[in-house]
Amino acid sequence: MKKFNFRKVLDGLTASSPGSGSGSGSNSSGGSGAMHPGGTAGVLREEIQETLTSEYFHICKTVRHGFPYQPTALAFDPVQKTLAIGTRTGAIRILGRPGVDCYCQHESGAAVLQLQFLINEGALVSASSDDTLHLWNLRQKRPAILHSLKFNRERITYCHLPFQSKWLYVGTERGNTHIVNIESFILSGYVIMWNKAIELSTKTHPGPVVHLSDSPRDEGKLLIGYENGTVVFWDLKSKRAELRVYYDEAIHSIDWHHEGKQFMCSHSDGSLTLWNLKSPSRPFQTTIPHGKSPREGRKSESCKPILKVEYKTCRNSEPFIIFSGGLSYDKACRRPSLTIMHGKAITVLEMDHPIVEFLTLCETPYPNEFQEPYAVVVLLEKDLIVVDLTQSNFPIFENPYPMDIHESPVTCTAYFADCPPDLILVLYSIGVKHKKQGYSNKEWPITGGAWNLGTQTYPEIIITGHADGSIKFWDASAITLQMLYKLKTAKVFEKQKVGEGKQTCEIVEEDPYAIQMIYWCPESRIFCVSGVSAYVIIYKFSRHEITTEIVSLEVRLQYDVEDIITPEPETSPPFPDLSSQLPSRSLSGSTNTVASEGVTKDSIPCLNVKTRPVRMPPGYQAELVIQLVWVDGEPPQQITSLAVSSAYGIVAFGNCNGLAVVDFIQKTVLLSMGTIDLYRSSDLYQRQPRSPRKNKQFIADNFCMRGLSNFYPDLTKRIRTSYQSLTELNDSPVPLELERCKSPTSGLATRIPEAAAGFCRNEIPAVRHRNQVHHLPDHVNGHYTSPTSQSCSSGKRLSSADVSKVNRWGPGRPPFRKAQSAACMEISLPVTTEESRENSYNRSRSSSISSIDKDSKEAITALYFMESFARKNDSTISPCLFVGTSLGMVLIISLNLPSADEQRFTEPVMVLPSGTFLSLKGAVLTFSCMDRTGALMQPPYEVWKDPNNIDENEKSLRRKLVMNCPSPSQDIGDHQYTIICSEKQAKVFSLPSQTCLYVHNITETSFILQADVVVLCNSACLACFCANGHIMIMSLPSLRPMLDVNYLPLTDMRIARTFCFTNEGQALYLVSPTEIQRLTYSQEMCDNLQDMLGDLFTPIETPEAQNRGFLKGLFGGSGQTFDREELFGEASAGKASRSLAQHIPGPGGIEGMKGAAGGVMGELTRARIALDERGQRLGELEEKTAGMMTSAEAFSKHAHELMLKYKDKKWYQF
């Protein structure tokens, strides 16, 4: 265990300038943190022991939730009762009982064409689009490939594996059929060539093989279906076609009757044909189920193709004929459907999404018995449903898997580990009342595998925000995912009528209710969301239903600065008059109407809040709706930061214009101020707020409001992010066009010294330069501009004292980086040429600071409520709001709350900037605080109580607060340490002396997307996810690097917007539009992960085949067994050509398991494997010994008999 001491600071070091002691640290590279001297002399630092070491950390994926993205294939094991789904990206999801959910991936990433279970063998065969067959071992919790077979000269189109057979039939695009030994994964020399299968008189190629199946009546006969309508019944023994069937329409699928005398085909004209083997010249029956009845002498009207048909028989009822497609062409608006024909009844089940594949689940795995179907699994493009066939109305089963994460596109996520244990039960009890009805009353039929809770179980909750305004709460405990509760935020707004959507569509292209940010306090159950239409909704949790009006506030947050100088700053008040800037508030709802065409829009919200009383069911109920409004024709900008304090009763949010603070207890606006005005209390010059520039052309690229359906990667729309730059998405060479658009500072050859990155916290820059307001040093030309080198045309000249102050402040401001300005920047994913051109920055770059101000604003990127020290050397803590901006500035705002709890509902709350400022490089991302012992401090909160509980009296209405204050001490010194992380670096400050103790430059070439202070093993650490794909963990407070792993390169902005860390070593992100990937950075969880995963295979006896009886055995078909080994083996069929296919050993065998195992579990696994091998060898030795003993006994017996036979015979009798 390493110890780090905050030593007593030497008196001689405190004589350094304030600029070098507040915001800076050592000028070390991004690899180490360093203690920084400075601050007040004589401060005694307590000893802090950091218990975390690099051995505590390891990155690994745990589980993937959600619907498999872009599915392509489906398979089912009727004995193990497990389901497998293949996807276009080469992934395979294996599902069993709830809790059994496994994800595996082909390394090539090729699409999965087909899946085949080795029924009750614990293995799976996959055929991929790169013409490779793979054999997966499912007898381990993480499946691995045992063998692969790569076809070099032919394309795989269809595979078939007979039940209890080790020979796999493979059909190809050329029409040939090959046979593969499953055990060795070697190609047999037995080949059915297409030209031998068809008649010699046929002049055309039959097309690819679309179907292969052996006859239920005789395993020695193989049915081969070709695309052009030819069906061949091939005798494997005699190696010739026994019969051939021809039809005019293309074949899509074939299925046998269980007796093996008939088979059914589906065709491209929407017809079904039933063929009898005794009369193959014409179909026994032809039907077009959805076609119109033909008139006399006319041909039946064709319909859409029937892509698949299944023909399943029942012992006590008519057979089931189930097929997809086949609808009439004149019903173009009909949705995709599944048709079930049972006797004379025809049922059409319409689906919400196109059907990819379906399978009928039957009671028996034997193809020559009555199938007795009981369910149909239907795989849709974006859903998985199971239909109950045992009930006449065909209800669907309630899906226990979280397959509806993407019901509406996910726009944001939040992850909470080790939250209060009662929350899951409370949310579930509320959410279960709103579940859909009408499901089948039978149990979910996919029950394979085994699963237990494991050793690490603590409450975990995942929250997802969606494009339709809905919020979903999920129980994520024990690496499972179950829906708890759904909240629809759009219900607080009026529905937009067809002709009344102009005011919103000008700002948001679509999805006006899309959730943008989530803030949840599990202890107080306060929930807050911000939406893309510039609104914030605060919810309180209640177990009781109420009917009430929704209270709303409208906030005017649109500020800019005049390009003039006020000579006498004393003549203006330090803060703007809020009464003149805020519109009249509507406490009963929004009463504004849309401005008529041609009139400048002003004080109009994007959405209309309901003004009538609204019934609110138990659960989360809207307490307050806050909306930003239009200002002089300019739309409100999207919200970039959000924070709520239940203890203070205050919500704060900001955007690229400024900051708003609202009291949600008294329903009043406390602060609505532009970012520039937050510096005003210490500004050298007074700047006048003014209305925005008028007659401004609103180009689509300048809007900060976007529709959020573009979270699907196949849509080439731009996605906005608040924390990254266009030119820093990757480390590849930047194109010339983008190079010209980069911020001038991004190309500086020399890095600015760290000492120049901080500045005096109590002084604010405002250098007047040629009648312009300069907030920043002139980095546009790559150098600093001296404030005295230019004269001001108006106002007084700066004194030498003022110049020294500005010089100390100026270099401390981080160089201006337009690409990193948080709220108004966009990132473009690969888009079309027009969009790339439209998204490029084609404005001319000027050295004028005012031109930069027109292009970008300083946005609020991070907010944090805490009991802290608002000013330097304060003796007591007080409520504070930490504010971080896109330019790396940190401001502390003091909150003056009424002392008595009873006065909190009536007395006003004062919100004032404290004049304390800190600085970092890059946009500020997160804050956190630690006490003097190194323990992480939680923000204060109010203990939850039901606001609508009618049983409580007035005495019980008193608020119960948990403040989490620093431990009192008699020593004079610092009591608190603040951790601040930005896009580029992290710093640790000591409060109240405001000394920068540690600084760590996390990255120079990239930028941080997500950063959180989390707890692992009862110790705090800083977790960061970088745009270059690195996950980095640093200990606190020393900022020592614990982990740096290149985990996931940023390929999609969906990952950047949804990646989040939480306590106990957990993290997640949206890996596809439909799936959530969870991972851990805890070594302990990686070691225990094997115990937490479900078993995919459990030993089950294969059901015995039914007794066919004497007569059926005599007249029902071939009674002799078919020896495939004798026919397909190397001895009789020979070897296949080496150039036809290449065998590739896989890593999934015992040797692969040995290499992959590690840690304690690895040792146990190796020991178990060694024991199994030893037992296997002993068993083989025992069998050999027993065989030798039997042979010896037989030899002894024969020798004794021979002796007795010739014992009494004379020599001449032989």
Side-chain angles (χ1 to χ4, degrees):
M1 184 182 299
K2 297 183 179 179
K3 299 181 179 180
F4 295 89
N5 299 327
F6 291 128
R7 299 183 180 88
K8 183 176 180 179
V9 181
L10 299 178
D11 294 341
L13 296 179
T14 59
S16 59
S17 63
S20 65
S22 59
S24 63
S26 69
N27 190 20
S28 60
S29 61
S32 64
M35 182 179 294
H36 182 277
T40 306
V43 180
L44 181 63
R45 314 292 186 192
E46 286 194 358
E47 184 180 87
I48 294 182
Q49 296 181 347
E50 293 186 5
T51 59
L52 292 179
T53 61
S54 58
E55 287 76 17
Y56 282 81
F57 300 96
H58 182 72
I59 293 284
C60 71
K61 295 179 181 178
T62 54
V63 68
R64 182 173 294 201
H65 301 297
F67 180 76
Y69 184 54
Q70 296 179 332
T72 55
L74 185 67
F76 182 72
D77 188 330
V79 178
Q80 288 289 320
K81 295 190 182 302
T82 53
L83 188 74
I85 302 174
T87 72
R88 193 177 302 172
T89 59
I92 298 177
R93 287 281 293 279
I94 303 172
L95 304 171
R97 66 177 67 249
V100 178
D101 186 346
C102 180
Y103 168 84
C104 42
Q105 173 74 43
H106 292 91
E107 291 185 2
S108 64
V112 178
L113 298 180
Q114 194 176 355
L115 296 172
Q116 286 274 323
F117 273 105
L118 276 67
I119 297 176
N120 203 27
E121 295 291 336
L124 176 72
V125 175
S126 63
S128 54
S129 60
D130 60 352
D131 305 309
T132 306
L133 296 174
H134 305 276
L135 178 64
W136 295 82
N137 179 17
L138 306 185
R139 291 176 178 256
Q140 54 196 55
K141 293 189 174 183
R142 287 195 178 273
I145 294 177
L146 294 171
H147 301 281
S148 296
L149 188 65
K150 168 72 174 176
F151 281 76
N152 297 323
R153 296 185 298 183
E154 297 192 52
R155 307 293 307 272
I156 298 174
T157 57
Y158 195 85
C159 299
H160 170 65
L161 180 65
F163 178 48
Q164 293 181 331
S165 169
K166 66 176 183 178
W167 296 95
L168 174 71
Y169 301 110
V170 181
T172 67
E173 193 176 31
R174 292 186 180 181
N176 303 326
T177 301
H178 301 275
I179 301 172
V180 179
N181 188 314
I182 289 296
E183 293 178 349
S184 61
F185 237 59
I186 296 176
L187 206 60
S188 170
Y190 192 108
V191 183
I192 305 175
M193 305 299 292
W194 68 271
N195 53 357
K196 293 183 179 180
I198 65 173
E199 289 183 344
L200 296 178
S201 59
T202 305
K203 298 181 180 179
T204 59
H205 191 278
V209 176
V210 296
H211 178 80
L212 291 168
S213 61
D214 53 343
S215 170
R217 191 179 185 186
D218 186 356
E219 296 176 350
K221 307 291 176 62
L222 182 67
L223 193 68
I224 308 173
Y226 294 94
E227 188 180 54
N228 71 342
T230 302
V231 180
V232 177
F233 196 51
W234 183 266
D235 190 334
L236 293 170
K237 291 182 178 179
S238 62
K239 299 183 180 180
R240 64 179 181 85
E242 185 170 304
L243 61 87
R244 297 179 180 89
V245 167
Y246 299 97
Y247 194 70
D248 296 335
E249 297 294 335
I251 292 177
H252 285 280
S253 69
I254 303 175
D255 199 20
W256 280 101
H257 188 279
H258 82 278
E259 292 180 350
K261 299 178 181 180
Q262 298 175 343
F263 61 88
M264 182 175 288
C265 302
S266 68
H267 300 277
S268 58
D269 63 344
S271 64
L272 296 174
T273 56
L274 185 63
W275 299 83
N276 196 316
L277 296 182
K278 292 184 178 180
S279 56
S281 59
R282 54 178 297 178
F284 175 74
Q285 181 180 356
T286 302
T287 58
I288 302 180
H290 294 295
K292 295 181 179 178
S293 300
R295 297 180 182 178
E296 295 182 1
R298 292 189 179 184
K299 187 180 179 180
S300 300
E301 180 184 5
S302 62
C303 296
K304 296 178 182 179
I306 295 180
L307 302 179
K308 184 178 181 180
V309 64
E310 292 205 347
Y311 189 21
K312 303 300 179 184
T313 56
C314 302
R315 186 181 300 274
N316 299 321
S317 65
E318 296 289 330
F320 280 90
I321 300 175
I322 305 169
F323 61 90
S324 61
L327 295 179
S328 176
Y329 280 105
D330 61 355
K331 299 178 181 179
C333 296
R334 288 279 294 271
R335 294 185 292 178
S337 64
L338 183 77
T339 304
I340 302 175
M341 299 174 64
H342 189 210
K344 295 183 179 180
I346 300 179
T347 304
V348 179
L349 305 178
E350 292 188 342
M351 306 295 170
D352 294 331
H353 309 286
I355 297 175
V356 175
E357 176 70 286
F358 74 89
L359 286 175
T360 305
L361 308 188
C362 302
E363 295 288 351
T364 176
Y366 295 94
N368 57 355
E369 298 178 356
F370 283 101
Q371 300 299 289
E372 301 294 345
Y374 59 90
V376 179
V377 179
V378 187
L379 179 63
L380 308 177
E381 277 191 1
K382 296 181 181 180
D383 202 0
L384 177 72
I385 64 172
V386 181
V387 181
D388 186 358
L389 294 180
T390 61
Q391 301 183 38
S392 59
N393 59 341
F394 302 126
I396 65 173
F397 290 90
E398 185 177 4
N399 198 329
Y401 313 128
M403 293 291 183
D404 57 345
I405 293 176
H406 63 288
E407 184 179 15
S408 176
V410 178
T411 56
C412 60
T413 59
Y415 193 5
F416 300 87
D418 205 11
C419 51
D422 61 328
L423 270 179
I424 292 178
L425 183 60
V426 168
L427 290 172
Y428 180 79
S429 63
I430 297 296
V432 73
K433 300 176 182 177
H434 304 286
K435 280 193 173 182
K436 296 179 181 178
Q437 304 297 325
Y439 291 113
S440 172
N441 54 9
K442 294 192 174 181
E443 294 184 358
W444 180 253
I446 303 170
T447 58
W451 177 78
N452 52 44
L453 288 176
T455 56
Q456 287 187 335
T457 56
Y458 43 81
E460 298 176 72
I461 292 179
I462 295 174
I463 304 177
T464 56
H466 300 264
D468 63 351
S470 61
I471 303 286
K472 292 182 179 180
F473 293 78
W474 305 84
D475 177 13
S477 306
I479 68 172
T480 61
L481 196 68
Q482 182 183 6
M483 178 77 165
L484 292 175
Y485 173 69
K486 183 177 180 179
L487 173 66
K488 297 180 179 179
T489 63
K491 288 188 174 182
V492 304
F493 299 106
E494 297 283 358
K495 291 184 179 179
Q496 292 185 351
K497 297 182 180 179
V498 178
E500 296 182 359
K502 292 184 179 180
Q503 62 175 1
T504 301
C505 68
E506 292 182 15
I507 308 171
V508 184
E509 295 174 359
E510 53 190 39
D511 302 322
Y513 307 110
I515 303 300
Q516 198 172 13
M517 302 186 75
I518 292 172
Y519 193 99
W520 188 43
C521 178
E523 290 79 11
S524 64
R525 302 185 188 178
I526 291 288
F527 185 66
C528 186
V529 298
S530 69
V532 72
S533 297
Y535 65 82
V536 173
I537 308 177
I538 302 169
Y539 289 91
K540 287 187 175 181
F541 188 84
S542 175
R543 298 176 184 269
H544 304 280
E545 177 182 318
I546 61 170
T547 301
T548 183
E549 291 185 352
I550 300 174
V551 182
S552 68
L553 288 176
E554 293 175 5
V555 178
R556 195 178 181 92
L557 192 59
Q558 191 90 5
Y559 291 90
D560 209 329
V561 180
E562 290 283 2
D563 296 339
I564 61 173
I565 297 176
T566 304
E568 299 294 332
E570 294 79 15
T571 60
S572 300
F575 296 99
D577 185 5
L578 295 181
S579 62
S580 64
Q581 297 174 11
L582 297 177
S584 59
R585 297 185 295 272
S586 171
L587 295 181
S588 61
S590 175
T591 58
N592 296 308
T593 57
V594 181
S596 60
E597 295 184 4
V599 179
T600 301
K601 296 180 181 179
D602 189 66
S603 301
I604 298 174
C606 299
L607 301 171
N608 293 323
V609 180
K610 291 180 179 179
T611 57
R612 63 185 181 277
V614 178
R615 185 186 71 86
M616 298 182 185
Y620 274 104
Q621 301 167 350
E623 176 77 6
L624 178 65
V625 180
I626 308 167
Q627 291 181 284
L628 298 181
V629 297
W630 289 67
V631 178
D632 293 336
E634 289 196 11
Q637 302 300 307
Q638 67 175 261
I639 294 169
T640 57
S641 57
L642 176 68
V644 182
S645 174
S646 59
Y648 305 153
I650 294 175
V651 58
F653 58 93
N655 60 10
C656 61
N657 289 324
L659 172 69
V661 181
V662 176
D663 183 348
F664 63 82
I665 293 180
Q666 299 185 25
K667 313 294 190 298
T668 58
V669 179
L670 303 177
L671 180 71
S672 176
M673 187 177 291
T675 310
I676 296 298
D677 298 317
L678 294 175
Y679 300 109
R680 184 171 309 217
S681 61
S682 301
D683 207 341
L684 299 180
Y685 292 91
Q686 190 66 38
R687 286 166 287 194
Q688 297 295 331
R690 66 177 176 85
S691 62
R693 292 175 294 277
K694 298 182 179 180
N695 301 324
K696 183 177 179 180
Q697 289 297 109
F698 298 116
I699 304 173
D701 288 332
N702 290 336
F703 281 160
C704 291
M705 301 290 188
R706 295 288 176 189
L708 291 178
S709 62
N710 49 19
F711 277 80
Y712 282 79
D714 51 349
L715 300 180
T716 57
K717 293 184 179 181
R718 295 176 301 280
I719 304 176
R720 179 172 312 282
T721 180
S722 298
Y723 306 119
Q724 51 271 4
S725 64
L726 175 66
T727 59
E728 292 180 334
L729 265 179
N730 51 54
D731 297 331
S732 59
V734 183
L736 181 60
E737 266 189 53
L738 296 181
E739 186 68 30
R740 293 173 181 170
C741 313
K742 290 190 348 181
S743 168
T745 61
S746 61
L748 290 178
T750 58
R751 189 170 63 87
I752 298 172
E754 186 66 30
F759 65 97
C760 185
R761 289 176 291 275
N762 295 324
E763 299 165 15
I764 299 299
V767 182
R768 293 322 186 263
H769 181 241
R770 291 190 180 181
N771 224 9
Q772 296 164 357
V773 178
H774 285 218
H775 312 153
L776 307 170
D778 188 0
H779 287 284
V780 178
N781 293 323
H783 62 275
Y784 295 103
T785 303
S786 172
T788 59
S789 61
Q790 303 289 344
S791 60
C792 301
S793 59
S794 62
K796 60 185 180 181
R797 191 178 181 89
L798 294 176
S799 65
S800 59
D802 293 334
V803 171
S804 64
K805 290 181 180 181
V806 173
N807 278 333
R808 288 198 301 270
W809 181 89
R813 196 71 175 270
F816 177 76
R817 292 174 294 278
K818 178 177 184 294
Q820 294 178 7
S821 179
C824 294
M825 294 297 99
E826 291 182 355
I827 287 184
S828 292
L829 300 176
V831 292
T832 59
T833 306
E834 287 93 3
E835 284 185 320
S836 298
R837 240 184 277 130
E838 181 185 0
N839 200 32
S840 63
Y841 296 99
N842 52 10
R843 303 184 185 92
S844 61
R845 309 303 298 160
S846 169
S847 61
S848 170
I849 298 297
S850 62
S851 66
I852 295 179
D853 288 338
K854 291 178 182 178
D855 287 340
S856 176
K857 302 173 184 178
E858 187 176 8
I860 307 298
T861 59
L863 295 168
Y864 182 66
F865 287 99
M866 193 62 199
E867 291 282 314
S868 186
F869 301 91
R871 295 171 181 82
K872 187 172 183 178
N873 296 327
D874 274 358
S875 59
T876 58
I877 61 170
S878 62
C880 296
L881 172 62
F882 288 77
V883 180
T885 74
S886 58
L887 297 183
M889 299 301 302
V890 177
L891 304 86
I892 301 180
I893 294 180
S894 178
L895 309 175
N896 190 0
L897 302 172
S899 57
D901 186 67
E902 294 80 5
Q903 298 175 350
R904 179 63 186 86
F905 297 91
T906 56
E907 295 295 324
V909 177
M910 301 299 295
V911 179
L912 297 174
S914 65
T916 298
F917 308 100
L918 311 170
S919 73
L920 292 87
K921 292 192 297 184
V924 179
L925 299 181
T926 189
F927 299 95
S928 191
C929 288
M930 301 175 70
D931 61 17
R932 63 190 305 168
T933 64
L936 191 65
M937 295 176 58
Q938 299 298 330
Y941 62 88
E942 177 188 3
V943 178
W944 176 81
K945 63 179 179 181
D946 198 328
N948 303 318
N949 195 341
I950 57 177
D951 298 332
E952 293 181 351
N953 51 33
E954 292 186 2
K955 291 184 179 180
S956 62
L957 292 177
R958 183 181 180 88
R959 301 170 70 223
K960 183 179 179 181
L961 305 180
V962 178
M963 302 307 294
N964 294 325
C965 299
S967 57
S969 175
Q970 302 297 327
D971 299 334
I972 300 175
D974 290 342
H975 297 274
Q976 193 179 74
Y977 306 105
T978 299
I979 302 99
I980 308 174
C981 185
S982 71
E983 288 179 332
K984 295 291 186 179
Q985 65 178 187
K987 288 186 178 182
V988 176
F989 292 91
S990 177
L991 300 181
S993 68
Q994 299 181 6
T995 304
C996 181
L997 299 175
Y998 289 96
V999 60
H1000 180 73
N1001 295 318
I1002 300 174
T1003 177
E1004 294 290 345
T1005 58
S1006 187
F1007 52 94
I1008 303 299
L1009 294 169
Q1010 180 67 31
D1012 287 292
V1013 175
V1014 294
V1015 175
L1016 178 65
C1017 300
N1018 297 321
S1019 298
C1021 57
L1022 176 64
C1024 301
F1025 175 57
C1026 197
N1028 59 14
H1030 283 249
I1031 292 180
M1032 292 162 283
I1033 310 292
M1034 284 147 281
S1035 66
L1036 292 176
S1038 66
L1039 296 177
R1040 288 182 302 116
M1042 297 283 101
L1043 179 74
D1044 188 350
V1045 175
N1046 188 4
Y1047 171 75
L1048 179 71
L1050 181 63
T1051 56
D1052 199 311
M1053 283 312 305
R1054 181 192 314 107
I1055 299 173
R1057 297 190 66 93
T1058 57
F1059 199 104
C1060 55
F1061 296 96
T1062 188
N1063 298 330
E1064 306 300 335
Q1066 304 277 7
L1068 66 81
Y1069 60 94
L1070 200 69
V1071 68
S1072 73
T1074 62
E1075 296 169 289
I1076 289 177
Q1077 178 66 58
R1078 293 167 66 179
L1079 62 141
T1080 180
Y1081 49 92
S1082 167
Q1083 179 67 60
E1084 181 183 2
M1085 186 168 184
C1086 291
D1087 294 338
N1088 296 326
L1089 183 60
Q1090 198 73 8
D1091 295 333
M1092 303 174 68
L1093 297 175
D1095 291 305
L1096 301 176
F1097 177 82
T1098 54
I1100 300 175
E1101 290 188 6
T1102 303
E1104 295 183 359
Q1106 296 179 1
N1107 189 1
R1108 302 182 65 190
F1110 174 76
L1111 293 178
K1112 280 196 174 184
L1114 184 63
F1115 302 106
S1118 175
Q1120 58 184 356
T1121 59
F1122 175 64
D1123 189 357
R1124 294 186 177 91
E1125 181 68 30
E1126 180 182 352
L1127 190 60
F1128 302 144
E1130 185 177 335
S1132 57
K1135 292 184 178 181
S1137 173
R1138 292 185 178 181
S1139 61
L1140 183 60
Q1142 177 187 0
H1143 177 259
I1144 306 171
I1150 292 181
E1151 296 299 323
M1153 293 173 63
K1154 288 180 180 178
V1160 177
M1161 293 303 299
E1163 294 295 336
L1164 293 176
T1165 303
R1166 283 192 287 269
R1168 187 174 66 249
I1169 292 173
L1171 186 61
D1172 292 342
E1173 291 177 346
R1174 182 173 180 271
Q1176 184 177 358
R1177 287 194 294 268
L1178 289 175
E1180 293 175 355
L1181 183 61
E1182 184 179 357
E1183 290 177 359
K1184 291 180 180 179
T1185 304
M1188 293 175 64
M1189 290 179 62
T1190 304
S1191 300
E1193 290 177 358
F1195 180 77
S1196 175
K1197 181 180 179 182
H1198 289 303
H1200 184 68
E1201 291 175 353
L1202 187 63
M1203 181 197 69
L1204 293 176
K1205 181 178 179 181
Y1206 296 103
K1207 178 179 179 181
D1208 297 329
K1209 289 187 177 183
K1210 303 296 182 180
W1211 62 270
Y1212 53 85
Q1213 293 178 335
F1214 287 96

